[in-house]
Amino acid sequence: MSKLVLNPGKERSLLRRHPWVFAGSVARLDGRARPGDTVEVVAADGRFLGRAAWSPESQIRARMWSFAVDITIDHAFFKRRVAESVARRATHPLLADESGVRLIHGESDGLPGVIADRFGDVAVVQLTSAGAEKWRDAIVAGLVQATGCTAVYERSDSDVRGLEGLGPKTGCVHGELPQDVLTIVENGVCMEVDVISGHKTGFYLDQRDNRRLTGLFAAGRSVLNCFCYTGGFSLQALAGGATSVLSIDSSGPALDAGRRNLAMNPQLDASRAEWLQADVFEALRVLKSEGRRFDLIVLDPPKFAPSAAHADRASRAYKDINLFGLRLLNPGGILMTYSCSGGIGLELFQKIVAGAASDAGVDARILHRLSASADHPVGLAAPEGEYLKGLAIQVG
């Protein structure tokens, strides 16, 4: 096995169990390795640090599979890791009745570059790193064995694969997708899941708990849901007793899916729902000029900063939408605002929202710090900035 030798002092993050080795930490590779091959990572003095997947085209040169000296990285290793990840969700009390669950969450489950979601009898897998690509067959076999799913669909079409020198791959890798529309029930609301062409793996499972909280806040309130996608927050707000819900997205097909989702839930009052296709930045300005006000606003935009290099531009975009969101709130209103940008950590995000509140001239306090659902854990040493973060703000 080839050895990846680090520069002096660069072993410190690995000793704290951080799962990445950056290009600047690498002194040399002793031996030859192809993308995705397992390499032994050692400190400058030769100390064993762990075994990792080699990725020569990425700034993250290696992603750690294991820090233990007695662990072999083979087919059995991945089947075991997958089974452990699935078992963690199976015993989690908050996930007992959920038909849509994240089964594997990358580094947090010891499987860097591996995402797997379950929607009923269908599992959707996304492989974003050279190491995950190398072990595709073992990962899929582990999913089938651990879940009994009748179909596994691959959605390895994320842009980040390009950073690893990988092209997109999609399609069934086990079984066949059902002919009927795939649906799940979340917090009592039926939702359509498009695993072939929907965002990510077909549905944003990470926001389940926050959608439920939106429903709890929504009773008797007028609601504005920006970047609404297929209406997950909107339908939970209606289920919670919102007096009205305006949902805005730039995508016509996403809004059509939102309308279909609403139609699948006859218990919800469709007359309280309005759908608007528009650029959210422009729509917020128009709403302000029209004197519109809301009691609860949800801002769940797409990723503005995929890396720290985009943080400055993304910060301006986040401040812009939060500034207008805060200006559109009635006194006592609540803003639920989110970021999924890897280049924006929670501390910076909170500073951005605080700056927006100051510029909006409103008194605001944090009701809740919002995070991903229980099946999207963040490991103690995992890169937290990569995951969902959010704030529920109430204005005076």
Side-chain angles (χ1 to χ4, degrees), residues 69-141:
V69 70
D70 58 345
I71 296 294
T72 301
I73 309 303
D74 56 11
H75 201 280
F77 168 85
F78 288 96
K79 292 182 75 173
R80 184 170 61 252
R81 279 278 167 95
V82 169
E84 290 167 351
S85 299
V86 172
R88 272 192 286 275
R89 278 69 175 186
T91 58
H92 199 298
L94 296 180
L95 304 175
D97 299 321
E98 298 297 337
S99 53
V101 175
R102 171 143 297 182
L103 301 176
I104 303 172
H105 194 44
E107 285 82 354
S108 293
D109 286 307
L111 291 167
V114 182
I115 297 297
D117 291 340
R118 179 173 188 166
F119 305 106
D121 287 332
V122 176
V124 183
V125 63
Q126 187 174 78
L127 308 176
T128 61
S129 68
E133 177 83 6
K134 174 86 174 182
W135 293 99
R136 166 187 279 100
D137 291 347
I139 292 164
V140 171

Side-chain angles (χ1 to χ4, degrees), residues 187 207-219 233 236-237 296 334 336 338 367-370 392:
N187 302 322
Q207 288 280 28
R208 179 197 302 108
D209 294 350
N210 297 324
R211 285 189 287 263
R212 178 177 180 273
L213 185 60
T214 299
L216 295 176
F217 280 144
F233 282 104
Q236 291 296 333
L296 174 61
I334 297 173
M336 302 182 74
Y338 300 93
L367 286 178
H368 292 278
R369 287 180 173 84
L370 306 165

